[in-house]
Amino acid sequence: GLSATCNANGTTASLSWNAVSGASFYYVRVTKPAGQSCPSGWQTPGWSSSYCVPNPDAIYGTSVVNYPITPGTSYSFGVHGARATGSWGPSTWNTFSCNGQADLTAFATTVTGWPTANVSTTLTSSVSNIGNATATNVPNTFQVNNGVTTVLVAAQTLTLSAGGSSAITANYSFPTVGTYSVRACADQNTSWGEVITESSETNNCGAWASVVVVPPAPTGLTGSCNVNGTLATFSWTASPGASFYYIRVNPTNGGTCPSGWQVAGWDATTCIPSPDSVIGTSISFGTTPGQSYTWWVHGAILPGGQWGNAGSSSLTCNGKPNLTASNLIPTNGTSVTVGSATTFQGRINNLGNATASNVYNILQVESYGVITAPPVLASIPSGSNGTVSASYTFPNSGTLPRS
């Protein structure tokens, strides 16, 4: 009735036998594999180096519990029944071996940055075999939970020797913005099934990792200016899932931040509105005509304020001239001689906020419907004026011309 019962990973064996009539105790001998030592509590007897015996030698009872062994190694054990005087009878022997078992465990899952909704993201983890046997063709998965349901995403199938480990990855597109929980699980297929028997079935999955998924970059970026270039408006198409937006403006060529905006703490060339979050899909601010801006916008989510990739554009609001003409004055007084050429002179004033270039002007004679073109003015800066003059011969008396 000798038998050996292995533990789950083949590292110990419990030895048992049937009681022998008249025996007071038992002598147990276990073969010792070459190159190995006897386990703790056992010793090599003086009469042979090929065996291990308990210390003390007598076993009261009919079993030895958890005798340490090497998985996959063959052992034999024999038992003698003995009387109280120490004399023993013949021995009975049994040969046994215990196979090891794999034990797969997954570690923490990592994701680079904040994934964007509906954009493929790589999930990364690793799996180790902490058992004492090879695990062959074992499937692995990532579990993705949105707070309601869990999706299984297939990773690589692995073969791992005892003590081995390997990275696993999978590509997954999170369908919406929000917070997800993700973990890796070894020895799990996409039908929630396990493939191999392990020494432990409770440590296959790693810890849950929290993953924040952010909105895609806003599209349809448009910049517009009011008529005189003193007000800029930025607008964009709403980013799916965005709760609000972060707007960043970079005035080029050393320009300053718009009124009500402030310099960003992380970059002295970037301006941000105050408050920083923008509700809606547009923002307006006062600008200096001729100033160019590079601007970009991120969709962001609550409650943490994490943001997605940016859409970007640029804008320059140019000012416009505003020209008015003064009254014309004859250079030889307020009256002219019929039939003689008279020179008239006046001013063109630029009341706008941009330079007027290549300005064409006309001399109009109301009574006669005659138009004479004075010289073109090459440039009239904002707030300045230019002088125009033209000659006209009146055929008869009438009113003075105007420009």
Side-chain angles (χ1 to χ4, degrees), residues 9 24 58 61 82 100 151 204 227 247 271 279 337 392 395:
N9 57 4
S24 300
V151 175
N204 289 136
V227 66
I247 312 299
C271 303
I279 307 298
T337 302
Y392 181 73

Side-chain angles (χ1 to χ4, degrees), residues 59-319:
I59 297 293
Y60 294 89
T62 58
S63 65
V64 172
V65 178
N66 294 334
Y67 182 83
I69 60 173
T70 300
T73 301
S74 180
Y75 294 82
S76 295
F77 78 100
V79 180
H80 301 266
R83 294 183 181 275
T85 60
S87 60
W88 64 87
S91 63
T92 303
W93 287 81
N94 184 35
T95 299
F96 70 93
S97 65
C98 295
N99 293 322
Q101 285 187 316
D103 184 10
L104 300 179
T105 185
F107 293 89
T109 297
T110 59
V111 177
T112 301
W114 297 321
T116 301
N118 291 307
V119 175
S120 181
T121 298
T122 300
L123 312 176
T124 302
S125 185
S126 61
V127 172
S128 290
N129 182 359
I130 60 176
N132 53 18
T134 297
T136 304
N137 294 329
V138 180
N140 304 279
T141 62
F142 288 94
Q143 296 182 357
V144 180
N145 181 273
N146 63 0
V148 179
T149 59
T150 299
V151 175
L152 297 183
V153 183
Q156 291 83 358
T157 296
L158 300 177
T159 294
L160 290 176
S161 59
S165 62
S166 177
I168 59 171
T169 60
N171 292 326
Y172 180 70
S173 295
F174 294 91
T176 60
V177 302
T179 301
Y180 293 76
S181 296
V182 180
R183 69 175 179 177
C185 290
D187 188 25
Q188 183 182 73
N189 59 33
T190 53
S191 298
W192 298 90
E194 296 180 345
V195 172
I196 64 171
T197 300
E198 303 174 67
S199 57
S200 173
E201 302 288 359
T202 62
N203 61 348
N204 289 136
C205 295
W208 288 102
S210 180
V211 177
V212 176
V213 179
V214 295
T219 58
L221 275 66
T222 302
S224 61
C225 309
N226 68 345
V227 66
N228 59 2
T230 58
L231 184 71
T233 298
F234 296 152
S235 60
W236 55 92
T237 301
S239 180
S243 305
F244 62 96
Y245 297 88
Y246 291 126
I247 312 299
R248 279 75 179 98
V249 171
N250 185 343
T252 60
N253 300 322
T256 59
C257 291
S259 176
W261 293 53
Q262 59 188 355
V263 176
W266 64 89
D267 182 7
T269 65
T270 299
C271 303
I272 60 176
S274 181
D276 193 15
S277 57
V278 175
I279 307 298
T281 57
S282 67
I283 189 171
S284 298
F285 60 88
T287 179
T288 300
Q291 174 66 60
S292 296
Y293 298 93
T294 299
W295 65 283
W296 58 102
V297 54
H298 304 263
I301 62 172
L302 295 172
Q306 295 90 345
W307 61 89
N309 293 328
S312 63
S313 187
S314 59
L315 176 69
T316 301
C317 287
N318 294 314

Side-chain angles (χ1 to χ4, degrees), residues 323-326 328 346-349 356-364 371-380 386-390 402-403:
L323 302 179
T324 62
S326 66
L328 287 173
R347 293 187 181 277
I348 305 299
N349 301 297
S357 300
N358 297 321
V359 180
Y360 290 83
N361 307 279
I362 61 173
L363 178 67
Q364 181 178 1
I371 297 176
T372 301
V376 173
L377 295 177
S379 176
I380 307 176
T387 300
V388 293
S389 62
R402 63 187 176 95
S403 65

Side-chain angles (χ1 to χ4, degrees), residues 27-32 38-48 50-59 64 67 78 80 93:
Y27 292 125
V28 179
R29 283 77 176 95
V30 181
T31 55
K32 182 175 66 173
C38 292
S40 176
W42 293 65
Q43 61 184 356
T44 302
W47 44 267
S48 175
S50 298
Y51 297 92
C52 295
V53 299
N55 183 19
D57 197 10
I59 297 293
V64 172
Y67 182 83
H80 301 266
W93 287 81

